[in-house]
């Protein structure tokens, strides 16, 4: 299936939204080639001022690697990411510490310094982290800690509650990347945490079961209670359909939008470390957001207002 065909299919879906007056089109611009991304066209959906990509990573061979990590992509720099922003139109960003570097957050801090005030960070720490280190990370504009239990490594479920109690006074959140069973099995834990929980990648609702799976109900309940957020990201993470429509992931995303649009943010997941061979088209993924959220005002809330509240922009 060609890239052109992929984009035609998604843009056809967007045309229906545009006909209803809900999707804004960007003018034609020069094409941009971005490392770790398929395609070169810019997104057709117009990003509002201060639109935020709430989930991406930075990789460098200079950063200290966690020896237990298994996912080790090539370099993906701050300069490379700025090229991505030209394709999507976003101007704020959240750098997420990847599993590759475990609890060694110096590379994250370096990237946040290079990005400047338009960026926030999510670190990885374990229960041995010192108060001084948490203060250092906070000063670097880190606003949460991630538990990447999907790939394993530096953190574990038993660390969630003690660390949540330590970061709550900082106004930080817990970010979860885990299979559905972990969320369902620990719903009581998540309900009693003293800080918000943010789920990566649509909370990994399994396909083809989709929103009939118990995990959707658990996460939706936490959203309604104001205890949680969900990232509209990783359309490819659990799909059985794939591009260009990701129709199964689309159904999950639209269900979250129906449940609690005020508790959703969007992320690119660039440089797409889980996709080791076929990288997605980032412009297509951004355009897909207009299918998931055809109401422009609601979409702008997800791209601007919600991230400002969650990350303190």
């Amino acid at each position: 299936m060609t890239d052109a065909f992929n984009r035609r299919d998604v843009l056809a879906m967007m045309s229906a939204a545009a006909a209803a007056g809900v999707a804004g089109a960007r003018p034609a611009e020069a094409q941009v080639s971005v490392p770790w991304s398929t395609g070169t066209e810019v997104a057709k959906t117009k990003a509002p001022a201060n639109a935020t990509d709430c989930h991406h990573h930075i990789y460098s061979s200079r950063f200290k690697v966690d020896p237990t990590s298994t996912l080790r992509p090539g370099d993906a720099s701050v300069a490379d990411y700025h090229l991505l922003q030209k394709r999507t139109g976003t101007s704020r960003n959240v750098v997420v510490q990847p599993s590759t570097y475990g609890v060694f957050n110096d590379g994250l801090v370096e990237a946040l310094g290079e990005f400047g005030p338009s960026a926030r960070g999510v670190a990885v720490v374990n229960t041995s982290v010192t108060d001084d280190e948490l203060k250092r990370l906070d000063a670097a504009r880190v606003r949460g800690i991630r538990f990447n239990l999907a790939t394993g490594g530096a953190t574990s479920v038993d660390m969630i509650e003690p660390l949540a109690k330590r970061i709550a006074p900082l106004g930080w959140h817990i970010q979860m990347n885990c299979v559905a069973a972990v969320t369902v099995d620990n719903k009581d834990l998540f309900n009693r945490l003293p800080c918000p929980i943010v789920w990566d990648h649509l909370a990994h609702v399994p396909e083809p079961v989709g929103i009939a799976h118990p995990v959707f109900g658990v996460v939706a309940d936490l959203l309604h209670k104001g205890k949680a957020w969900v990232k509209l990201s990783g359309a490819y993470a659990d799909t059985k359909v794939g591009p260009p429509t990701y129709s199964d992931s689309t159904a999950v995303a639209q269900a979250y939008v129906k449940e609690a649009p005020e508790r959703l943010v969007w992320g690119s997941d660039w440089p797409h470390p889980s996709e080791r061979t076929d990288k997605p088209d980032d412009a297509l993924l951004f355009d897909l957001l207009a299918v998931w959220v055809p109401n422009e005002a609601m979409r702008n809330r997800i791209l601007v207002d919600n991230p400002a509240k969650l990350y303190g922009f």
Side-chain angles (χ1 to χ4, degrees):
M1 187 176 293
T2 66
D3 290 343
F5 179 75
N6 288 357
R7 292 193 59 77
R8 280 201 302 272
D9 274 25
V10 171
L11 294 175
M13 291 188 294
M14 289 186 59
S15 321
V22 295
R26 294 174 68 188
E29 299 180 39
Q31 296 185 337
V32 182
S33 180
V34 182
W36 314 112
S37 181
T38 297
T40 58
E41 296 180 28
V42 298
K44 299 300 187 288
T45 303
K46 180 178 172 58
N50 297 321
T52 310
D53 176 356
C54 294
H55 191 107
H56 77 90
H57 310 288
I58 296 296
Y59 293 92
S60 173
S61 54
R62 295 183 297 99
F63 298 167
K64 185 176 180 180
V65 172
D66 182 339
T68 68
S69 66
T70 57
L71 197 60
R72 302 186 182 186
D75 287 8
S77 69
V78 169
D80 293 336
Y81 181 77
H82 282 314
L83 293 174
L84 181 79
Q85 290 180 310
K86 292 182 179 181
R87 291 191 69 196
T88 62
T90 56
S91 53
R92 289 175 172 172
N93 58 301
V94 178
V95 188
V96 177
Q97 171 83 338
S99 62
T100 305
Y101 308 117
V103 299
F104 305 128
N105 292 288
D106 286 352
L108 171 67
V109 171
E110 177 185 305
L112 290 171
E114 194 171 344
F115 276 120
S118 63
R120 298 292 184 269
V122 176
V124 174
V125 302
N126 57 28
T127 47
S128 68
V129 67
T130 65
D131 290 341
D132 284 345
E133 174 66 358
L134 292 177
K135 290 176 183 176
R136 178 180 84 103
L137 294 171
D138 187 65
R141 298 186 305 279
V142 166
R143 296 297 177 259
I145 57 174
R146 189 189 196 204
F147 287 80
N148 188 348
L149 305 180
T151 60
T155 54
S156 55
V157 170
D158 62 294
M159 295 181 184
I160 294 175
E161 191 161 20
L163 284 171
K165 291 176 179 178
R166 293 183 63 189
I167 67 168
L170 295 170
W172 290 11
H173 60 266
I174 294 284
Q175 181 175 319
M176 296 299 304
N177 184 39
C178 60
V179 297
V182 171
T183 297
V184 174
D185 292 347
N186 292 281
K187 65 177 181 180
D188 292 338
L189 165 65
F190 293 128
N191 269 281
R192 67 175 181 262
L193 291 183
C195 62
I197 312 104
V198 180
W199 265 276
D200 288 354
H201 312 326
L202 304 173
H204 287 295
V205 174
E207 298 296 350
V209 180
I211 62 173
H213 192 281
V215 70
F216 182 81
V218 170
V219 174
D221 178 63
L222 288 163
L223 293 175
H224 289 306
K225 291 175 179 176
K227 290 179 171 289
W229 300 77
V230 167
K231 291 188 179 182
L232 299 179
S233 61
Y236 43 76
D238 298 283
T239 185
K240 301 296 184 186
V241 176
T245 65
Y246 299 100
S247 60
D248 46 2
S249 297
T250 291
V252 173
Q254 290 174 335
Y256 281 126
V257 172
K258 184 177 180 181
E259 291 286 338
E262 74 283 1
R263 307 295 294 185
L264 305 176
V265 295
W266 177 83
S268 68
D269 194 32
W270 182 89
H272 317 290
S274 65
E275 307 305 287
R276 302 195 187 197
T277 54
D278 298 324
K279 296 294 183 179
D281 181 335
D282 283 281
L284 185 152
L285 292 177
F286 190 77
D287 285 339
L288 195 62
L289 183 62
V291 179
W292 293 357
V293 194
N295 181 284
E296 186 177 5
M298 188 179 293
R299 189 166 66 250
N300 290 352
R301 179 176 187 173
I302 290 169
L303 286 168
V304 181
D305 301 333
N306 292 354
K309 180 178 180 180
L310 178 58
Y311 297 101
F313 283 107

